[in-house]
Amino acid sequence: MLTSDTSATSERIPSVQVQVPQKSLPLFVPKQVYAIEKQWFAQGNPSYGLMQQAAWQMAQWIDQTYHPSRKVSVWVGNGNNGGDGWLVACYLTQMGRVVQVIEVAEATSTDAISAKYQAIKQGVRTTRLLDILPNLVLLSADIMIDALFGIGLDRAPKGQYAEAIVAINKLRGRQASYQGRHAVRTVISLDVPSGLVCSTGQVFDGCAVKADVTLCLVARKLGLHIKDGPDYSGQVLDFPLIPSVLEMSPTARLLQGATPMTSRAYNSHKGSFGHALIIGGNQVAGSQGMGGAALLSASSALSAGVGKLTVACHSAFHGSLITKLPNAMSLNLQDVAGVKALIAECDTVAIGMGMGRDTSSLQLCHQYLQAVLDSNADLIIDADGLFHLATLTQTHPQLIKQLQAHANTHQVWYTPHSGEAARLLNITSAQVEADRVSAISQLAQRYQGSWLLKGVGSLVLDQQQLYVCAAGNPGMATAGMGDVLSGLALGLLAQVDLSQQQRSLQQAVMIHALAGDLGQQRLGEWALQANDMAALIGIVLKQLYDLR
C-alpha cells in the first residue's frame, strides 16, 4: 500500500531481477460479474449493502494512502458507479476530508439515488459539471475520483460525460499545492476507467479517463489488461467483496510470472535437447531479402537452449548465418529434397519468418508444411507462413484437415499479430482489435492447436484456457521482435526433457516479455532492438533457473 505522502502517479519500476512467479490471476468480463452479483443478491444480500461495503473499503484505502490535507473531487454519473462515488464522498467527508461532488448527471438508479441522499445528508458539497467547466483552473481538489461509468459501457461517451472525461484528463498530472506541499493531481477510477470497455479493452475515439489507480470491485476485469486497458488503468488494486467469485470460471487468467527452469542432467549431449529447424529467410525477385528474420529466430532459439539448430534459408544469407551464429547449421531453402529429408529428422519445425509472399514462396511453404504433417515433428507457423496459410485454407482444404489432425497428436503453435489473424479470418484488422478474445477463439476453433495473438496484453489460447501476458513494454514494438519470439518458442518446444509448463507457448511468451522488460530497464524503450533479445533471454532463463 502507498504511504500517505507518496503520489500514486509515481512510476512503478519493475525489478531487474525476475521475481518468484505469482499465481495467475483470474480475469472476468462484465456478464460474469453481473452473474456473480446476481447470485449474491439471490442469497438475500441487499444491493445497496454491497454498494456501501465497496464504497467504505475504497474510502478507507484513499484516506490511508494520501496525505489528509489533500482535497478530493468526485465526478459522478447517473448509475450505480455514480452511487459508489456518492458514498465514497460521504465516507471521506466523515473521515474529515474536504470533498466536493461534481454531478455530471442526475442519479437515476434506485441505489444511486439512495447514495446521493446519504451523501447530502452528511453535508457533502456538490456542484454541477456545467458550473465547474468554465473555471477548471479554480478547482482546488488534487485527488479526482472518476465515478462516471461502470462496467456496462460498450460505446463512446457522449455529451456531458465526454466533456467530463476531457476535463479530468486535462487536469490530471498538473501541479497542486496543499499545506505547503506539492503534488500532481491524481486520478482514481472506481471499478474501471470511464470510457474503457471492460470486455475488450477498447476505448472509442480516445475518450476514456486516464487513471493513475483503478480500484477494481468484485473481480478483476479482462479489459483492464488488453488492448487500450493498460494505457488507461494505471495501477490496479482489487476489492473482491463477494466470496462467490471463487465459484465462477474466469474468461482468462493473467500471467504474472514464468515457470522456473530446472537443471539439466550431467549425462547429456546435444541430441538430448532437441534438433530444431527454422524455414525462412528468403530472397524473392526484386528484393534485398529477409535473412535477418531467420537470423533473429535462430539466435533466440540457441539462447533458449536447443541442442541442435538448422536454418533453411536462401543461400545468399549462409555467410551471414555462419558469421553471426557458427553453431547453427545451414541448408538451402530452395533445396526441396534436402529440406524435406531434414524435416523427417527434426523434433520441431518453425516456418514463415522472412519467407516471402510471392508465388514461389507459397509453393515452398505448401511443400514444407506437407512434409511436417507427414513427419513426427511439432510445428510453429509464424509471419509469412501465416500469410500463406490463409491462401492454402482456400486452395488446399485437405491440407488444413491434416493440420487440424496433427494438432491432436503433436504440438502445433500459431503466432499471428492482428493483421495476420485478420487475413486468416477474412476480416479486417480493426475487427480483430475490436474483440481480440473472439478472434483468437475463432482461430483456435478453425485450425485447432495453440494460439498467440500478439499485442498489448498478448493473448495465449492453449487447451481451451485463455491467458493474458502481464509483462512487456512499448520498447518491444520494433521490427524483428516477433521473429525473436518464434525462435524462443521453437527452442523451448524442441527440448522434450522440459516439463509441459516449461515448454509451453505461454512460457515462451512470458520469457520473451520479461526479457523485453529487462532490456527496457537497461537500454530504454527507444534503444531496445530485437537484436538485443538473445542475450536478455539468456539472462532471464538463468534467473528462472535460480528460482527453482
Side-chain angles (χ1 to χ4, degrees):
M1 181 175 293
L2 300 175
T3 64
S4 59
D5 287 320
T6 302
S7 171
T9 60
S10 60
E11 186 178 5
R12 293 171 58 81
I13 304 295
S15 171
V16 173
Q17 180 69 34
V18 174
Q19 301 299 302
V20 175
Q22 304 173 49
K23 185 177 181 181
S24 61
L25 185 70
L27 303 175
F28 297 85
V29 294
K31 65 179 181 180
Q32 292 177 303
V33 177
Y34 291 139
I36 293 166
E37 292 176 342
K38 184 178 179 180
Q39 180 184 0
W40 182 248
F41 301 149
Q43 296 172 10
N45 300 293
S47 60
Y48 191 61
L50 182 63
M51 181 180 284
Q52 289 175 308
Q53 180 63 22
W56 175 247
Q57 290 195 26
M58 291 188 292
Q60 280 192 312
W61 181 85
I62 292 167
D63 188 55
Q64 294 170 14
T65 301
Y66 300 99
H67 192 276
S69 296
R70 296 188 67 175
K71 299 177 182 179
V72 179
S73 64
V74 185
W75 303 58
V76 299
N78 67 344
N80 283 345
N81 192 254
D84 292 336
W86 279 109
L87 287 179
V88 167
C90 175
Y91 298 143
L92 287 175
T93 300
Q94 287 181 309
M95 295 170 186
R97 293 271 180 172
V98 176
V99 182
Q100 180 183 32
V101 168
I102 298 172
E103 195 169 15
V104 178
E106 184 75 24
T108 57
S109 74
T110 301
D111 287 346
I113 292 171
S114 298
K116 177 180 178 180
Y117 174 79
Q118 184 174 338
I120 291 175
K121 186 178 179 181
Q122 183 61 41
V124 173
R125 296 185 302 115
T126 68
T127 187
R128 295 184 309 157
L129 175 68
L130 293 178
D131 295 330
I132 198 71
L133 281 179
N135 301 297
L136 279 179
V137 293
L138 301 179
L139 187 68
S140 61
D142 55 79
I143 296 175
M144 298 180 293
I145 297 177
D146 158 34
L148 299 176
F149 288 115
I151 62 175
L153 184 73
D154 59 359
R155 63 194 181 281
K158 301 293 183 183
Q160 289 193 130
Y161 283 103
E163 290 182 291
I165 289 170
V166 170
I168 291 170
N169 289 340
K170 184 177 180 180
L171 290 169
R172 173 181 178 261
R174 293 192 176 187
Q175 288 288 333
S177 300
Y178 58 99
Q179 286 194 347
R181 299 172 181 266
H182 297 279
V184 294
R185 283 195 170 95
T186 302
V187 176
I188 302 170
S189 286
L190 305 188
D191 205 15
V192 60
S194 293
L196 177 70
V197 181
C198 279
S199 56
T200 65
Q202 188 168 10
V203 169
F204 293 100
D205 303 328
C207 187
V209 169
K210 282 205 166 186
D212 298 296
V213 181
T214 297
L215 306 182
C216 192
L217 303 173
V218 180
R220 184 71 70 95
K221 316 304 186 298
L222 173 64
L224 299 176
H225 297 282
I226 61 176
K227 197 172 169 52
D228 297 315
D231 283 323
Y232 287 83
S233 302
Q235 181 186 5
V236 181
L237 301 175
D238 293 305
F239 295 78
L241 302 175
I242 301 177
S244 57
V245 70
L246 300 173
E247 302 170 13
M248 177 74 69
S249 296
T251 292
R253 303 197 72 89
L254 186 68
L255 294 172
Q256 302 181 90
T259 302
M261 302 296 291
T262 52
S263 58
R264 293 177 162 185
Y266 280 98
N267 186 17
S268 303
H269 53 83
K270 60 186 178 183
S272 303
F273 308 117
H275 186 182
L277 171 63
I278 290 173
I279 302 176
N282 200 2
Q283 186 177 51
V284 300
S287 122
Q288 294 181 343
M290 294 167 284
L295 285 171
L296 288 167
S297 287
S299 63
S300 59
L302 290 167
S303 286
V306 67
K308 295 190 293 181
L309 178 68
T310 301
V311 180
C313 62
H314 194 281
S315 57
F317 304 121
H318 287 186
S320 299
L321 178 68
I322 294 170
T323 301
K324 181 175 176 61
L325 300 171
N327 46 336
M329 298 172 283
S330 59
L331 187 63
N332 190 345
L333 180 64
Q334 280 71 31
D335 179 5
V336 175
V339 174
K340 284 185 175 180
L342 186 58
I343 287 173
E345 300 176 9
C346 287
D347 300 294
T348 307
V349 177
I351 184 169
M353 298 77 73
M355 193 159 188
R357 297 185 174 183
D358 64 340
T359 302
S360 63
S361 299
L362 171 62
Q363 293 172 347
L364 288 174
C365 186
H366 180 200
Q367 294 178 80
Y368 295 150
L369 279 177
Q370 186 63 64
V372 173
L373 298 179
D374 294 336
S375 75
N376 194 40
D378 293 325
L379 174 64
I380 298 173
I381 306 179
D382 185 34
D384 294 337
L386 295 165
F387 180 90
H388 293 314
L389 180 62
T391 301
L392 293 171
T393 300
Q394 304 299 321
T395 60
H396 292 78
Q398 188 58 41
L399 178 75
I400 304 307
K401 290 182 179 179
Q402 290 179 269
L403 194 56
Q404 293 168 338
H406 199 73
N408 291 328
T409 55
H410 298 78
Q411 293 288 334
V412 179
W413 296 355
Y414 304 85
T415 57
H417 54 57
S418 59
E420 293 156 348
R423 179 172 165 81
L424 289 166
L425 292 172
N426 195 28
I427 58 177
T428 66
S429 297
Q431 288 174 300
V432 170
E433 285 298 303
D435 194 343
R436 290 167 55 80
V437 174
S438 175
I440 196 172
S441 299
Q442 291 179 56
L443 289 166
Q445 184 176 11
R446 180 171 298 186
Y447 294 99
Q448 306 301 310
S450 299
W451 285 82
L452 161 66
L453 183 54
K454 303 170 188 173
V456 180
S458 290
L459 301 179
V460 179
L461 186 55
D462 182 29
Q463 297 182 350
Q464 299 184 323
Q465 176 63 62
L466 183 65
Y467 299 94
V468 178
C469 176
N473 64 85
M476 300 175 73
T478 186
M481 280 291 177
D483 303 313
V484 170
L485 177 55
S486 62
L488 168 59
L490 175 73
L492 292 176
L493 185 57
Q495 299 177 62
V496 294
D497 63 313
L498 296 176
S499 70
Q500 181 178 351
Q501 282 300 313
Q502 290 168 336
R503 63 193 292 262
S504 65
L505 181 54
Q506 54 266 33
Q507 174 82 341
V509 170
M510 279 303 302
I511 291 173
H512 181 256
L514 291 169
D517 287 344
L518 182 61
Q520 177 200 36
Q521 295 165 55
R522 294 189 171 187
L523 303 171
E525 291 181 355
W526 297 268
L528 178 61
Q529 299 296 317
N531 199 45
D532 301 315
M533 290 291 286
L536 296 167
I537 287 168
I539 295 171
V540 170
L541 285 168
K542 170 62 168 61
Q543 293 177 354
L544 289 172
Y545 169 77
D546 291 339
L547 293 176
R548 70 194 189 284

